[in-house]
Amino acid sequence: MIPRKNMGRVSPLLLILLALGFFFATYNLVTLIIHNRATTSSSFSISTSGSRSNGGGGSEWFDPVKESNLVKLGDRKFHVALTATDAPYSKWQCRIMYYWYKKMKERDGSEMGGFTRVLHSGKPDNLMEEIPTFVVDPLPEGLDRGYIVLNRPWAFVQWLEKATIEEEYILMAEPDHVFANPLPNLARGDLPAAFPFFYIKPAEHEEVIRKYYPEELGPVTNVDPIGNSPVIIKKSILEKIAPTWMNVSLRMKDDPETDKAFGWVLEMYGYAVASALHGVRHILRKDFMLQPPWDLEVGKKFIIHYTYGCDYNMKGELTYGKIGEWRFDKRSYLRGPPPKNLSLPPPGVPESVVRLVKMVNEATANIPGWETE
């Protein structure tokens, strides 16, 4: 007969272990509930595969207050870098961009550090003293096949290799960006931050994407719906991605099917695929940037991207695709800068367009020797 004197008694050590187990399980459950409730108020997401998707292409949501508390350790400044050519069209945009960088850098909430125009024309130009500039070589003649933005990843590869960059983080920007509000560091540790573009759709081009991102590496949703700009990223991570970004972009351009599918945004897909190849996912921030005339208000968004033409009749109605009675389109100034004091839009035009033109006018009124470029 088996003795029964210990039946019904439990070791005190076992009780302690069970109590600890229930404590951690309850803590994790409560944390998960609080975390998920943040989905109703959060302003940004991180793209992850296999979880619920938000309309902007992101999925898992973070509480912005809690996340910001986690990352206020150490120096969070980021270096602003944009690639450019020595063409007049590029120069005047860079001058306006640099003007607003200097103004917004000094305002509360900004975490901007230094600034570099990465000039991939291979030789200095007449803006060297006005704008901090690092000269790099263009791609060998003919390699870009007339698609000049293929020089962008090659320019970053050279700059990262040769330049001394003090900041731990880098913002990759473009000449047609205007800082509308002071920009903090939107990255979170090793997680870079990017703007989700509605026209970058890896899942709709899975057959093409698989030429560069094979199935064994994971679902095509690992490729974020982004380009390289705007992106805030750790310098050490960008140093790994940049050569891959360059090589993937060149391979894409050499492939007729890919070139046809991606067109003028091919290099953007190149960066997205290169990031995925390195296992890098991005926090997707819709408030990173706005694009007039489609985005109607600036609000708390950080960058105005004026890539689209803004055409309106005198009633303030958009006439996109048809030259308007009033218009602002950067392509109207391919050979030289826009004049000072551009006319403001007629009543009824969205605030974002009005704000853009006023910011251009302020910059051109205050940049010395504006109309000499």
Side-chain angles (χ1 to χ4, degrees):
M1 184 174 181
I2 300 172
R4 301 176 59 90
K5 63 180 180 179
N6 291 327
M7 295 294 288
R9 298 181 61 186
V10 181
S11 165
L13 177 61
L14 180 58
L15 287 173
I16 293 171
L17 291 174
L18 285 173
L20 285 173
F22 281 117
F23 169 77
F24 285 116
T26 304
Y27 173 81
N28 288 335
L29 178 60
V30 172
T31 301
L32 181 62
I33 292 170
I34 294 172
H35 177 80
N36 288 335
R37 289 176 66 182
T39 60
T40 59
S41 60
S42 176
S43 63
F44 59 91
S45 64
I46 172 175
S47 176
T48 56
S49 62
S51 47
R52 277 191 312 171
S53 177
N54 175 284
S59 35
E60 185 180 352
W61 287 85
F62 288 86
D63 184 321
V65 176
K66 292 180 181 177
E67 288 298 312
S68 64
N69 288 341
L70 289 175
V71 296
K72 292 298 182 182
L73 301 175
D75 188 0
R76 295 272 300 160
K77 289 192 179 298
F78 56 88
H79 196 96
V80 180
L82 72 157
T83 57
T85 73
D86 60 0
Y89 177 66
S90 178
K91 286 182 179 179
W92 69 256
Q93 293 176 55
C94 289
R95 299 180 82 191
I96 292 174
M97 199 270 198
Y98 185 58
Y99 173 86
W100 283 104
Y101 154 80
K102 289 188 293 183
K103 289 203 70 171
M104 291 298 169
K105 179 186 177 184
E106 303 306 323
R107 296 190 182 180
D108 290 343
S110 169
E111 290 183 297
M112 296 180 186
F115 185 102
T116 300
R117 179 181 64 134
V118 185
L119 181 64
H120 54 77
S121 299
K123 60 184 186 298
D125 64 6
N126 62 343
L127 294 183
M128 302 293 290
E129 294 185 7
E130 179 178 333
I131 304 175
T133 300
F134 191 92
V135 179
V136 297
D137 293 325
L139 288 168
E141 186 175 357
L143 196 59
D144 64 10
R145 302 191 182 198
Y147 182 55
I148 196 167
V149 293
L150 275 183
N151 284 278
R152 184 174 295 152
W154 173 224
F156 272 109
V157 168
Q158 296 174 81
W159 178 62
L160 289 165
E161 182 180 317
K162 299 176 182 178
T164 300
I165 306 160
E166 295 182 359
E167 296 85 356
E168 184 181 6
Y169 291 86
I170 292 170
L171 164 67
M172 292 187 283
E174 297 181 14
D176 60 353
H177 287 176
V178 173
F179 293 106
N181 283 299
L183 179 60
N185 188 339
L186 303 178
R188 297 292 179 261
D190 287 344
L191 287 172
F195 176 78
F197 289 90
F198 70 88
Y199 49 78
I200 302 296
K201 302 177 179 180
E204 292 187 9
H205 297 283
E206 181 166 3
E207 187 175 340
V208 175
I209 292 289
R210 287 305 185 191
K211 293 183 176 185
Y212 314 95
Y213 188 76
E215 288 187 20
E216 56 265 29
L217 293 181
V220 74
T221 50
N222 285 350
V223 180
D224 291 329
I226 61 173
N228 83 289
S229 176
V231 166
I232 299 178
I233 187 170
K234 266 191 173 180
K235 179 175 59 178
S236 58
I237 296 175
L238 183 57
E239 286 171 341
K240 297 175 183 177
I241 293 175
T244 309
W245 170 28
M246 179 186 70
N247 291 328
V248 168
S249 298
L250 289 171
R251 283 181 57 205
M252 286 180 169
K253 190 63 180 174
D254 281 340
D255 181 70
E257 182 186 13
T258 308
D259 193 21
K260 181 179 180 180
F262 295 160
W264 64 275
V265 295
L266 179 147
E267 168 267 340
M268 298 172 70
Y269 275 100
Y271 175 80
V273 169
S275 297
L277 288 171
H278 286 274
V280 175
R281 309 307 306 275
H282 295 71
I283 299 167
L284 304 179
R285 295 284 303 235
K286 288 186 176 182
D287 60 345
F288 208 152
M289 189 169 74
L290 69 147
Q291 302 184 97
W294 311 116
D295 296 306
L296 306 182
E297 296 181 355
V298 175
K300 295 183 179 180
K301 295 182 175 71
F302 299 107
I303 294 172
I304 300 176
H305 183 210
Y306 56 97
T307 189
Y308 296 104
C310 300
D311 289 276
Y312 293 87
N313 60 29
M314 299 313 291
K315 297 179 181 179
E317 298 167 335
L318 182 66
T319 62
Y320 193 78
K322 177 183 176 182
I323 295 177
E325 297 173 88
W326 180 93
R327 77 180 325 225
F328 175 75
D329 188 338
K330 65 178 185 177
R331 296 164 191 83
S332 300
Y333 309 103
L334 294 174
R335 298 184 180 180
K340 295 181 178 181
N341 196 28
L342 294 170
S343 64
L344 294 179
V349 170
E351 180 263 350
S352 62
V353 179
V354 177
R355 175 87 173 271
L356 169 61
V357 176
K358 286 182 176 180
M359 293 182 77
V360 169
N361 281 345
E362 179 180 331
T364 61
N366 289 283
I367 296 174
W370 173 252
E371 292 176 333
T372 61
E373 290 300 327

